[in-house]
Amino acid sequence: MGFQIQHNWQIAQNHNITYGFDYRNVSAENVTRNLEDGTETENYDDSIGQGAVFAKYLVDVTPDVRLNLGLRQDFNSLINGSVTSPAVGARWNLAETTTLRANYIRNFRVPTLFNLFSNSPFAQGNPDLKAERGNSFDIGMDQQLGDIGLLRLTFFNNTITDNIAYDNVNLTYENIGKVRTNGIELALNLQLARNFYFSGNYTLNDPKILESSNPAEVDRELRFAGADSINLGLSYENPQGWYAGILMHSLGSYPTNNTNTESLPGYTTFDFKLRVPVNENLALNGSVENVFDQRFQLFPGFPDAGRIVQIGMNYKF
């Protein structure tokens, strides 16, 4: 449960400030019941309180250059004191159809109650986990392609200290000293013809462990995090509400441990989605996920669900 109070103040035509306060409390109780004898075991019953004050200042330096400055002060029941997270961003309309952008933010994330206190057979909580802290920045370009599309290219870098990761050997969660992720994202959206659209994106991901209590993990790839991915889509959608789309998702191989001695192969799946308007208020929809019933594992020993068929309806009133 939580709440947020926020105020937006237009100081001048090209100056805007947003500031406020937010607070939330996450409470969770986990109990295991033995169905044979009816006994119950409480695994955890705890709560995390999180509050913050924040402000964001937006200014149009010129008609083509916009800056935003942000500051957030977090207060958390799991740590002593508070954490300050600044952020800064810039956008420059280099030409009528070309925009350059850059952003920086200081990261802060606390472990979840499940990370801390879980008592399941596949994940034991670690109450000694530290909060993640780090720095992230990205720089990119947006290029409009006439009236038919948009091309976006982004380079990103994230450096996280005390990265919270699942230890699939000891079946618990741990802090990894320092992880740095470099990557590139490329996205393209096109209108091929009237009511026909193409979308695609590619992400190149390279998360390296820079510091660890296990020397064998240093300079290795962080497990379950380094897969490159490709998403492609071809769709038809008209103003009357008809929609049909074919979507492809392809994930590259990735290691399952931090020493990179084992890995899972990549896979490619196709989905089909359909929406049929019956009238102004009612629409039928359906989908077939993993059309060709491709078998794969996201985690060792846990196979996917195979082909999934769903049918539903939406009604507005």
mmCIF file of all heavy atoms in Angstrom, residues 139-177:
data_model
loop_
_atom_site.group_PDB
_atom_site.id
_atom_site.type_symbol
_atom_site.label_atom_id
_atom_site.label_comp_id
_atom_site.label_asym_id
_atom_site.label_seq_id
_atom_site.Cartn_x
_atom_site.Cartn_y
_atom_site.Cartn_z
ATOM 1 N N ILE A 139 23.176 7.084 -24.449
ATOM 2 C CA ILE A 139 23.248 8.123 -25.465
ATOM 3 C C ILE A 139 22.685 7.540 -26.751
ATOM 4 O O ILE A 139 22.927 6.365 -27.066
ATOM 5 C CB ILE A 139 24.696 8.627 -25.663
ATOM 6 C CG1 ILE A 139 24.738 9.763 -26.689
ATOM 7 C CG2 ILE A 139 25.633 7.495 -26.065
ATOM 8 C CD1 ILE A 139 26.067 10.470 -26.741
ATOM 9 N N GLY A 140 21.878 8.324 -27.457
ATOM 10 C CA GLY A 140 21.234 7.760 -28.630
ATOM 11 C C GLY A 140 20.782 8.800 -29.631
ATOM 12 O O GLY A 140 20.932 10.014 -29.424
ATOM 13 N N MET A 141 20.212 8.304 -30.716
ATOM 14 C CA MET A 141 19.736 9.146 -31.810
ATOM 15 C C MET A 141 18.395 8.620 -32.296
ATOM 16 O O MET A 141 18.193 7.406 -32.407
ATOM 17 C CB MET A 141 20.753 9.149 -32.961
ATOM 18 C CG MET A 141 20.328 10.001 -34.149
ATOM 19 S SD MET A 141 21.450 9.850 -35.559
ATOM 20 C CE MET A 141 21.040 8.193 -36.123
ATOM 21 N N ASP A 142 17.478 9.531 -32.579
ATOM 22 C CA ASP A 142 16.191 9.209 -33.201
ATOM 23 C C ASP A 142 16.157 9.848 -34.579
ATOM 24 O O ASP A 142 16.381 11.060 -34.711
ATOM 25 C CB ASP A 142 15.031 9.742 -32.357
ATOM 26 C CG ASP A 142 14.995 9.129 -30.968
ATOM 27 O OD1 ASP A 142 15.598 8.063 -30.787
ATOM 28 O OD2 ASP A 142 14.371 9.731 -30.078
ATOM 29 N N GLN A 143 15.867 9.045 -35.594
ATOM 30 C CA GLN A 143 15.826 9.539 -36.962
ATOM 31 C C GLN A 143 14.468 9.231 -37.576
ATOM 32 O O GLN A 143 14.104 8.059 -37.759
ATOM 33 C CB GLN A 143 16.932 8.895 -37.801
ATOM 34 C CG GLN A 143 16.949 9.326 -39.259
ATOM 35 C CD GLN A 143 17.244 10.804 -39.431
ATOM 36 O OE1 GLN A 143 18.225 11.301 -38.881
ATOM 37 N NE2 GLN A 143 16.398 11.506 -40.171
ATOM 38 N N GLN A 144 13.705 10.276 -37.867
ATOM 39 C CA GLN A 144 12.436 10.075 -38.555
ATOM 40 C C GLN A 144 12.691 9.747 -40.020
ATOM 41 O O GLN A 144 13.551 10.347 -40.672
ATOM 42 C CB GLN A 144 11.573 11.335 -38.455
ATOM 43 C CG GLN A 144 11.113 11.656 -37.045
ATOM 44 C CD GLN A 144 10.192 12.863 -37.010
ATOM 45 O OE1 GLN A 144 9.616 13.252 -38.027
ATOM 46 N NE2 GLN A 144 10.060 13.464 -35.846
ATOM 47 N N LEU A 145 11.942 8.803 -40.547
ATOM 48 C CA LEU A 145 12.082 8.374 -41.940
ATOM 49 C C LEU A 145 10.883 8.894 -42.721
ATOM 50 O O LEU A 145 9.940 8.161 -43.027
ATOM 51 C CB LEU A 145 12.181 6.850 -42.017
ATOM 52 C CG LEU A 145 13.285 6.220 -41.150
ATOM 53 C CD1 LEU A 145 13.226 4.700 -41.212
ATOM 54 C CD2 LEU A 145 14.658 6.717 -41.576
ATOM 55 N N GLY A 146 10.915 10.159 -42.996
ATOM 56 C CA GLY A 146 9.786 10.793 -43.676
ATOM 57 C C GLY A 146 8.530 10.675 -42.835
ATOM 58 O O GLY A 146 8.556 10.878 -41.625
ATOM 59 N N ASP A 147 7.422 10.322 -43.487
ATOM 60 C CA ASP A 147 6.156 10.128 -42.780
ATOM 61 C C ASP A 147 5.852 8.664 -42.523
ATOM 62 O O ASP A 147 4.744 8.316 -42.103
ATOM 63 C CB ASP A 147 5.003 10.731 -43.602
ATOM 64 C CG ASP A 147 5.147 12.238 -43.757
ATOM 65 O OD1 ASP A 147 5.684 12.876 -42.834
ATOM 66 O OD2 ASP A 147 4.731 12.765 -44.811
ATOM 67 N N ILE A 148 6.832 7.784 -42.776
ATOM 68 C CA ILE A 148 6.517 6.354 -42.719
ATOM 69 C C ILE A 148 7.199 5.613 -41.573
ATOM 70 O O ILE A 148 6.881 4.450 -41.332
ATOM 71 C CB ILE A 148 6.882 5.659 -44.043
ATOM 72 C CG1 ILE A 148 8.408 5.704 -44.265
ATOM 73 C CG2 ILE A 148 6.122 6.278 -45.208
ATOM 74 C CD1 ILE A 148 8.875 4.820 -45.396
ATOM 75 N N GLY A 149 8.128 6.242 -40.849
ATOM 76 C CA GLY A 149 8.805 5.439 -39.835
ATOM 77 C C GLY A 149 9.728 6.215 -38.931
ATOM 78 O O GLY A 149 9.938 7.428 -39.073
ATOM 79 N N LEU A 150 10.300 5.491 -37.985
ATOM 80 C CA LEU A 150 11.220 6.045 -37.003
ATOM 81 C C LEU A 150 12.307 5.017 -36.719
ATOM 82 O O LEU A 150 12.020 3.844 -36.464
ATOM 83 C CB LEU A 150 10.490 6.396 -35.707
ATOM 84 C CG LEU A 150 11.353 6.901 -34.548
ATOM 85 C CD1 LEU A 150 11.967 8.248 -34.890
ATOM 86 C CD2 LEU A 150 10.527 6.998 -33.260
ATOM 87 N N LEU A 151 13.567 5.458 -36.746
ATOM 88 C CA LEU A 151 14.714 4.625 -36.424
ATOM 89 C C LEU A 151 15.360 5.166 -35.158
ATOM 90 O O LEU A 151 15.650 6.360 -35.058
ATOM 91 C CB LEU A 151 15.725 4.646 -37.575
ATOM 92 C CG LEU A 151 17.044 3.889 -37.340
ATOM 93 C CD1 LEU A 151 16.780 2.391 -37.246
ATOM 94 C CD2 LEU A 151 18.041 4.195 -38.453
ATOM 95 N N ARG A 152 15.574 4.277 -34.163
ATOM 96 C CA ARG A 152 16.173 4.669 -32.894
ATOM 97 C C ARG A 152 17.407 3.815 -32.621
ATOM 98 O O ARG A 152 17.353 2.589 -32.733
ATOM 99 C CB ARG A 152 15.175 4.504 -31.740
ATOM 100 C CG ARG A 152 13.983 5.445 -31.822
ATOM 101 C CD ARG A 152 12.924 5.087 -30.779
ATOM 102 N NE ARG A 152 13.440 5.169 -29.426
ATOM 103 C CZ ARG A 152 13.398 6.270 -28.670
ATOM 104 N NH1 ARG A 152 12.879 7.379 -29.155
ATOM 105 N NH2 ARG A 152 13.883 6.255 -27.443
ATOM 106 N N LEU A 153 18.510 4.469 -32.254
ATOM 107 C CA LEU A 153 19.753 3.784 -31.917
ATOM 108 C C LEU A 153 20.219 4.286 -30.561
ATOM 109 O O LEU A 153 20.317 5.500 -30.341
ATOM 110 C CB LEU A 153 20.820 4.041 -32.977
ATOM 111 C CG LEU A 153 22.204 3.427 -32.713
ATOM 112 C CD1 LEU A 153 22.118 1.900 -32.716
ATOM 113 C CD2 LEU A 153 23.210 3.907 -33.751
ATOM 114 N N THR A 154 20.525 3.345 -29.631
ATOM 115 C CA THR A 154 20.899 3.723 -28.262
ATOM 116 C C THR A 154 22.058 2.871 -27.788
ATOM 117 O O THR A 154 22.050 1.643 -27.960
ATOM 118 C CB THR A 154 19.719 3.532 -27.295
ATOM 119 O OG1 THR A 154 18.592 4.282 -27.759
ATOM 120 C CG2 THR A 154 20.089 4.011 -25.898
ATOM 121 N N PHE A 155 23.053 3.521 -27.199
ATOM 122 C CA PHE A 155 24.124 2.823 -26.483
ATOM 123 C C PHE A 155 23.898 3.042 -24.999
ATOM 124 O O PHE A 155 23.615 4.157 -24.566
ATOM 125 C CB PHE A 155 25.507 3.359 -26.876
ATOM 126 C CG PHE A 155 26.602 2.887 -25.955
ATOM 127 C CD1 PHE A 155 27.132 1.619 -26.093
ATOM 128 C CD2 PHE A 155 27.069 3.705 -24.941
ATOM 129 C CE1 PHE A 155 28.133 1.165 -25.234
ATOM 130 C CE2 PHE A 155 28.068 3.268 -24.076
ATOM 131 C CZ PHE A 155 28.605 1.994 -24.227
ATOM 132 N N PHE A 156 24.022 1.964 -24.186
ATOM 133 C CA PHE A 156 23.790 2.107 -22.756
ATOM 134 C C PHE A 156 24.901 1.434 -21.958
ATOM 135 O O PHE A 156 25.564 0.496 -22.420
ATOM 136 C CB PHE A 156 22.424 1.537 -22.350
ATOM 137 C CG PHE A 156 22.251 0.075 -22.638
ATOM 138 C CD1 PHE A 156 22.642 -0.902 -21.722
ATOM 139 C CD2 PHE A 156 21.677 -0.352 -23.837
ATOM 140 C CE1 PHE A 156 22.475 -2.248 -21.984
ATOM 141 C CE2 PHE A 156 21.507 -1.703 -24.112
ATOM 142 C CZ PHE A 156 21.902 -2.649 -23.181
ATOM 143 N N ASN A 157 25.110 1.951 -20.749
ATOM 144 C CA ASN A 157 26.116 1.422 -19.836
ATOM 145 C C ASN A 157 25.556 1.469 -18.428
ATOM 146 O O ASN A 157 25.131 2.529 -17.963
ATOM 147 C CB ASN A 157 27.404 2.242 -19.935
ATOM 148 C CG ASN A 157 28.457 1.804 -18.926
ATOM 149 O OD1 ASN A 157 28.343 2.058 -17.728
ATOM 150 N ND2 ASN A 157 29.506 1.170 -19.414
ATOM 151 N N ASN A 158 25.520 0.319 -17.755
ATOM 152 C CA ASN A 158 25.049 0.238 -16.370
ATOM 153 C C ASN A 158 26.134 -0.410 -15.520
ATOM 154 O O ASN A 158 26.605 -1.506 -15.846
ATOM 155 C CB ASN A 158 23.773 -0.609 -16.261
ATOM 156 C CG ASN A 158 22.661 -0.094 -17.147
ATOM 157 O OD1 ASN A 158 22.430 1.103 -17.222
ATOM 158 N ND2 ASN A 158 21.979 -0.998 -17.839
ATOM 159 N N THR A 159 26.524 0.244 -14.443
ATOM 160 C CA THR A 159 27.489 -0.318 -13.507
ATOM 161 C C THR A 159 26.826 -0.416 -12.152
ATOM 162 O O THR A 159 26.451 0.605 -11.558
ATOM 163 C CB THR A 159 28.754 0.555 -13.417
ATOM 164 O OG1 THR A 159 29.341 0.686 -14.716
ATOM 165 C CG2 THR A 159 29.781 -0.091 -12.490
ATOM 166 N N ILE A 160 26.635 -1.648 -11.657
ATOM 167 C CA ILE A 160 25.888 -1.895 -10.431
ATOM 168 C C ILE A 160 26.803 -2.553 -9.388
ATOM 169 O O ILE A 160 27.448 -3.567 -9.669
ATOM 170 C CB ILE A 160 24.666 -2.800 -10.686
ATOM 171 C CG1 ILE A 160 23.788 -2.216 -11.799
ATOM 172 C CG2 ILE A 160 23.871 -2.995 -9.408
ATOM 173 C CD1 ILE A 160 23.194 -0.874 -11.471
ATOM 174 N N THR A 161 26.832 -1.978 -8.193
ATOM 175 C CA THR A 161 27.548 -2.553 -7.059
ATOM 176 C C THR A 161 26.567 -3.343 -6.196
ATOM 177 O O THR A 161 25.428 -2.925 -6.000
ATOM 178 C CB THR A 161 28.204 -1.444 -6.225
ATOM 179 O OG1 THR A 161 29.101 -0.698 -7.063
ATOM 180 C CG2 THR A 161 28.996 -2.019 -5.062
ATOM 181 N N ASP A 162 27.022 -4.484 -5.676
ATOM 182 C CA ASP A 162 26.185 -5.387 -4.881
ATOM 183 C C ASP A 162 24.965 -5.849 -5.668
ATOM 184 O O ASP A 162 23.842 -5.908 -5.151
ATOM 185 C CB ASP A 162 25.751 -4.716 -3.567
ATOM 186 C CG ASP A 162 26.911 -4.524 -2.608
ATOM 187 O OD1 ASP A 162 27.797 -5.396 -2.579
ATOM 188 O OD2 ASP A 162 26.943 -3.506 -1.899
ATOM 189 N N ASN A 163 25.193 -6.187 -6.926
ATOM 190 C CA ASN A 163 24.124 -6.689 -7.788
ATOM 191 C C ASN A 163 23.457 -7.915 -7.157
ATOM 192 O O ASN A 163 24.133 -8.853 -6.734
ATOM 193 C CB ASN A 163 24.707 -7.054 -9.155
ATOM 194 C CG ASN A 163 23.666 -7.513 -10.140
ATOM 195 O OD1 ASN A 163 23.307 -8.675 -10.174
ATOM 196 N ND2 ASN A 163 23.169 -6.603 -10.951
ATOM 197 N N ILE A 164 22.136 -7.902 -7.060
ATOM 198 C CA ILE A 164 21.384 -9.009 -6.477
ATOM 199 C C ILE A 164 21.092 -10.037 -7.566
ATOM 200 O O ILE A 164 20.448 -9.731 -8.567
ATOM 201 C CB ILE A 164 20.075 -8.518 -5.837
ATOM 202 C CG1 ILE A 164 20.374 -7.518 -4.715
ATOM 203 C CG2 ILE A 164 19.268 -9.689 -5.290
ATOM 204 C CD1 ILE A 164 19.142 -6.836 -4.159
ATOM 205 N N ALA A 165 21.593 -11.254 -7.367
ATOM 206 C CA ALA A 165 21.438 -12.302 -8.382
ATOM 207 C C ALA A 165 21.111 -13.628 -7.705
ATOM 208 O O ALA A 165 21.452 -13.859 -6.544
ATOM 209 C CB ALA A 165 22.715 -12.430 -9.210
ATOM 210 N N TYR A 166 20.467 -14.503 -8.458
ATOM 211 C CA TYR A 166 20.093 -15.830 -7.953
ATOM 212 C C TYR A 166 21.265 -16.782 -8.092
ATOM 213 O O TYR A 166 21.880 -16.889 -9.163
ATOM 214 C CB TYR A 166 18.884 -16.359 -8.709
ATOM 215 C CG TYR A 166 18.444 -17.737 -8.288
ATOM 216 C CD1 TYR A 166 17.929 -17.966 -7.023
ATOM 217 C CD2 TYR A 166 18.550 -18.816 -9.168
ATOM 218 C CE1 TYR A 166 17.522 -19.242 -6.634
ATOM 219 C CE2 TYR A 166 18.139 -20.079 -8.794
ATOM 220 C CZ TYR A 166 17.635 -20.282 -7.518
ATOM 221 O OH TYR A 166 17.231 -21.540 -7.138
ATOM 222 N N ASP A 167 21.593 -17.475 -7.025
ATOM 223 C CA ASP A 167 22.656 -18.472 -7.017
ATOM 224 C C ASP A 167 22.030 -19.847 -7.223
ATOM 225 O O ASP A 167 21.462 -20.423 -6.298
ATOM 226 C CB ASP A 167 23.407 -18.409 -5.686
ATOM 227 C CG ASP A 167 24.561 -19.414 -5.613
ATOM 228 O OD1 ASP A 167 24.697 -20.228 -6.541
ATOM 229 O OD2 ASP A 167 25.316 -19.363 -4.629
ATOM 230 N N ASN A 168 22.084 -20.349 -8.471
ATOM 231 C CA ASN A 168 21.396 -21.606 -8.776
ATOM 232 C C ASN A 168 22.156 -22.834 -8.287
ATOM 233 O O ASN A 168 21.679 -23.963 -8.431
ATOM 234 C CB ASN A 168 21.133 -21.720 -10.278
ATOM 235 C CG ASN A 168 22.408 -21.794 -11.089
ATOM 236 O OD1 ASN A 168 23.358 -21.062 -10.814
ATOM 237 N ND2 ASN A 168 22.443 -22.650 -12.090
ATOM 238 N N VAL A 169 23.337 -22.639 -7.696
ATOM 239 C CA VAL A 169 24.066 -23.752 -7.094
ATOM 240 C C VAL A 169 23.602 -23.963 -5.653
ATOM 241 O O VAL A 169 23.238 -25.063 -5.237
ATOM 242 C CB VAL A 169 25.586 -23.513 -7.138
ATOM 243 C CG1 VAL A 169 26.316 -24.634 -6.400
ATOM 244 C CG2 VAL A 169 26.068 -23.418 -8.583
ATOM 245 N N ASN A 170 23.580 -22.875 -4.876
ATOM 246 C CA ASN A 170 23.145 -22.940 -3.481
ATOM 247 C C ASN A 170 21.669 -22.627 -3.304
ATOM 248 O O ASN A 170 21.167 -22.613 -2.176
ATOM 249 C CB ASN A 170 23.986 -21.981 -2.634
ATOM 250 C CG ASN A 170 25.464 -22.326 -2.670
ATOM 251 O OD1 ASN A 170 25.844 -23.459 -2.418
ATOM 252 N ND2 ASN A 170 26.301 -21.342 -3.006
ATOM 253 N N LEU A 171 20.973 -22.328 -4.433
ATOM 254 C CA LEU A 171 19.527 -22.065 -4.423
ATOM 255 C C LEU A 171 19.170 -20.942 -3.453
ATOM 256 O O LEU A 171 18.259 -21.047 -2.634
ATOM 257 C CB LEU A 171 18.754 -23.340 -4.064
ATOM 258 C CG LEU A 171 19.018 -24.564 -4.944
ATOM 259 C CD1 LEU A 171 18.158 -25.734 -4.496
ATOM 260 C CD2 LEU A 171 18.773 -24.248 -6.412
ATOM 261 N N THR A 172 19.872 -19.821 -3.593
ATOM 262 C CA THR A 172 19.596 -18.653 -2.763
ATOM 263 C C THR A 172 19.968 -17.406 -3.545
ATOM 264 O O THR A 172 20.331 -17.478 -4.730
ATOM 265 C CB THR A 172 20.377 -18.729 -1.437
ATOM 266 O OG1 THR A 172 19.959 -17.652 -0.591
ATOM 267 C CG2 THR A 172 21.880 -18.634 -1.673
ATOM 268 N N TYR A 173 19.888 -16.251 -2.911
ATOM 269 C CA TYR A 173 20.244 -14.986 -3.548
ATOM 270 C C TYR A 173 21.533 -14.460 -2.932
ATOM 271 O O TYR A 173 21.804 -14.682 -1.752
ATOM 272 C CB TYR A 173 19.113 -13.973 -3.392
ATOM 273 C CG TYR A 173 17.858 -14.375 -4.131
ATOM 274 C CD1 TYR A 173 16.875 -15.137 -3.504
ATOM 275 C CD2 TYR A 173 17.674 -14.020 -5.465
ATOM 276 C CE1 TYR A 173 15.737 -15.526 -4.193
ATOM 277 C CE2 TYR A 173 16.532 -14.414 -6.158
ATOM 278 C CZ TYR A 173 15.574 -15.162 -5.511
ATOM 279 O OH TYR A 173 14.455 -15.556 -6.195
ATOM 280 N N GLU A 174 22.299 -13.760 -3.745
ATOM 281 C CA GLU A 174 23.573 -13.246 -3.285
ATOM 282 C C GLU A 174 23.851 -11.878 -3.895
ATOM 283 O O GLU A 174 23.244 -11.492 -4.895
ATOM 284 C CB GLU A 174 24.711 -14.201 -3.671
ATOM 285 C CG GLU A 174 24.887 -14.341 -5.180
ATOM 286 C CD GLU A 174 26.053 -15.216 -5.575
ATOM 287 O OE1 GLU A 174 26.896 -15.505 -4.707
ATOM 288 O OE2 GLU A 174 26.140 -15.588 -6.760
ATOM 289 N N ASN A 175 24.773 -11.143 -3.259
ATOM 290 C CA ASN A 175 25.289 -9.897 -3.814
ATOM 291 C C ASN A 175 26.578 -10.194 -4.561
ATOM 292 O O ASN A 175 27.479 -10.850 -4.031
ATOM 293 C CB ASN A 175 25.579 -8.877 -2.715
ATOM 294 C CG ASN A 175 24.313 -8.298 -2.104
ATOM 295 O OD1 ASN A 175 24.031 -8.510 -0.939
ATOM 296 N ND2 ASN A 175 23.564 -7.547 -2.885
ATOM 297 N N ILE A 176 26.649 -9.718 -5.797
ATOM 298 C CA ILE A 176 27.876 -9.832 -6.585
ATOM 299 C C ILE A 176 28.541 -8.462 -6.566
ATOM 300 O O ILE A 176 27.904 -7.445 -6.835
ATOM 301 C CB ILE A 176 27.576 -10.276 -8.023
ATOM 302 C CG1 ILE A 176 26.940 -11.666 -8.002
ATOM 303 C CG2 ILE A 176 28.833 -10.285 -8.872
ATOM 304 C CD1 ILE A 176 26.518 -12.155 -9.358
ATOM 305 N N GLY A 177 29.857 -8.445 -6.253
ATOM 306 C CA GLY A 177 30.571 -7.198 -5.997
ATOM 307 C C GLY A 177 30.268 -6.065 -6.948
ATOM 308 O O GLY A 177 29.782 -5.008 -6.551
#
